[in-house]
Amino acid sequence: MSVTNPESEHGQSRLWTFHGGLHLPDEKALSNDQPIEPLRLPPLLVIPLRQHIGAPARPGVRVGDQVRKGQVIGTADGYVSAAVHASSSGTVIAIEERRIPHPSGLPAPCVVIATDGQDAWAPLPAPLTDYPHLDPALLRERVHWAGVVGLGGGAFPTSVKLRSERHIETLIINGAECEPYITCDDRLMRERSVQVLEGARIIRTLLGAERVLIGIEDNKPAAIAALSAALTQSGPDPHIRIIPVPTRYPSGGERQLIRILTGREVPTRGLPAQIGVACQNVATTAAVADAVLLGRPLITRVVTVTGRAVARLGNLAVPIGTPLSHLVAHCGGFRETPRRLLCGGPMMGFALSDLEIPITKAFNCLLALTAAEAPDPGPALACIRCGRCAEVCPVRLLPQQLYWHARAKAFDRAQGYNLFDCIECGCCAQVCPSHIPLVQYYRFAKNAIWAHEEERRKADQARARHQARQARLERLEQERQSKLRKKREILDDTTAATVPGQVADGDLDARRALIEAAKQRAAAKKAAAQSRIEPVDLG
């Protein structure tokens, strides 16, 4: 069904549904009853230079440098990149590779800062409060400087998403937060509703969107009420609407929320801009407001600490670069050894190997599950072709076929089944009676394809460099041969001019004989001159 109007004929919000999905125990009551608490500064900050999709930032400081809070310590390297700032004041004691929160578990370059406890700010740029009348390029540059990235999990540089060559009709602000256990966006909408709305207005101005739809799952009544009250207090705004959506996982997926609110489908391998839609997370909009209205970079993120293995649960405002061990200590440690320790929620999160990994911009939840919360499913069994995975897939894929091709490393065939449309929501693995870790196979296939593409790109670059070198050498050889030919022609013309009438045109042998005779005469003259030199008496 192709629908463009998100309202019914009576002016009420009309919602659509998406294929598949699950109703899961949300477990949000564990952590959403406490206000956001600022976390005290750790003695060390480990700030990765790669906290976003795209090229990592280039270090802009050296070991021994004194830095201040908000100072740029890593400059964006390229169009798809983001700046990195110091989260507090102190001294740079190392620039080295350390482990960061990533499914691969691989290390990345980090700037290590020993904090001085003063938390002194660096000079910040002036606020741009009159943003509706400013050049959009200036606003985008401010967001670029602030290092704002998508805080819903994608971590794509926001300044890039704020440039669209297509007309954007609808801006969707994603406040669904559908993943179980996670409540950081819920608390943010309750406590910083004004910033969320101001950020939405700034982004709408930049994109020229006609309307803003803020979608929030209906299991967050306090957040809906807070945003509604803030919208009423700020005065009538016909461009912004707050829309509760049914609680159903994964309604917070970008494509799923677009479908729910507009009835439109993002094309396979396409982008929301192709259907006139842009989507931003509520935390991202608040960060945009901070950058534009306060001149502050993204150096803090709200993190949910939850799971029944943690002694004290809640949401913390954490300086980026804070080691996880500092969070756990602040929350009283563990009640028991966690069965699973995850970055993110139980559906889309990934395992953490240790607690010295730092908080990054994309880190939204530290989840410590007990054995009761995460029982051992046992070994994976053979697929029985029940088809339940296809029934719950929100993207209408065929997970069983993707599994077979990924397992057989038939990556071309997996791509034929739209592997890269998979959002890795985990619905298929959740309902699989054989307990097959389906998402792990899809991630393996994607990473293998990306690695192959990277190798092919490097091989193409090496081939291009080799071909360019060969072409250069051939060109130099041709130039050398051309110069030699010109010299021979000049010498032949000179010889012919000194002995006129003796050489017929085109008589090459006669020309060569004349040249040889000239050489012999020159050698004879040289020998005669040397024989006339008298010895000098040096006594």
Side-chain angles (χ1 to χ4, degrees), residues 81-284:
S81 186
V84 175
H85 302 72
S87 306
S88 186
S89 56
T91 304
V92 177
I93 62 172
I95 301 176
E96 61 189 15
E97 289 202 345
R98 295 204 178 189
R99 299 185 73 174
I100 65 172
H102 192 271
S104 68
L106 297 176
C110 300
V111 177
V112 184
I113 299 174
T115 57
D116 56 16
Q118 299 180 10
D119 208 29
W121 279 95
L124 297 177
L128 303 175
T129 54
D130 193 25
Y131 65 84
H133 304 99
L134 297 177
D135 184 353
L138 178 63
L139 299 178
R140 282 192 291 265
E141 179 56 34
R142 172 60 61 84
V143 175
H144 180 69
W145 167 84
V148 180
V149 301
L151 299 179
F156 192 85
T158 303
S159 60
V160 179
K161 290 187 71 173
L162 296 181
R163 304 172 188 266
S164 178
E165 298 179 355
R166 299 174 182 267
H167 172 66
I168 300 299
E169 175 190 340
T170 303
L171 169 63
I172 291 178
I173 305 301
N174 189 342
E177 195 172 49
C178 60
E179 181 93 1
Y181 286 91
I182 305 176
T183 59
C184 55
D185 285 351
D186 184 0
R187 291 305 314 188
L188 185 75
M189 289 185 286
R190 296 193 208 182
E191 301 180 34
R192 298 190 63 195
S193 53
V194 173
Q195 287 89 336
V196 171
L197 290 176
E198 284 300 317
R201 292 188 177 103
I202 293 169
I203 296 173
R204 187 184 78 83
T205 299
L206 282 169
L207 294 175
E210 300 171 13
R211 60 182 177 175
V212 179
L213 305 179
I214 304 177
I216 308 173
E217 278 193 335
D218 56 14
N219 64 349
K220 303 173 184 62
I224 295 171
L227 279 172
S228 300
L231 185 59
T232 300
Q233 292 172 6
S234 64
D237 191 334
H239 302 290
I240 299 179
R241 299 185 59 214
I242 299 167
I243 304 177
V245 300
T247 299
R248 181 183 177 193
Y249 181 81
S251 62
E254 183 177 69
R255 297 183 178 217
Q256 286 67 46
L257 190 58
I258 290 172
R259 168 67 184 170
I260 292 171
L261 295 178
T262 69
R264 302 176 184 177
E265 297 277 0
V266 179
T268 296
R269 300 177 182 264
L271 297 174
Q274 295 177 232
I275 58 172
V277 177
C279 195
Q280 295 284 356
N281 175 264
V282 290
T284 307

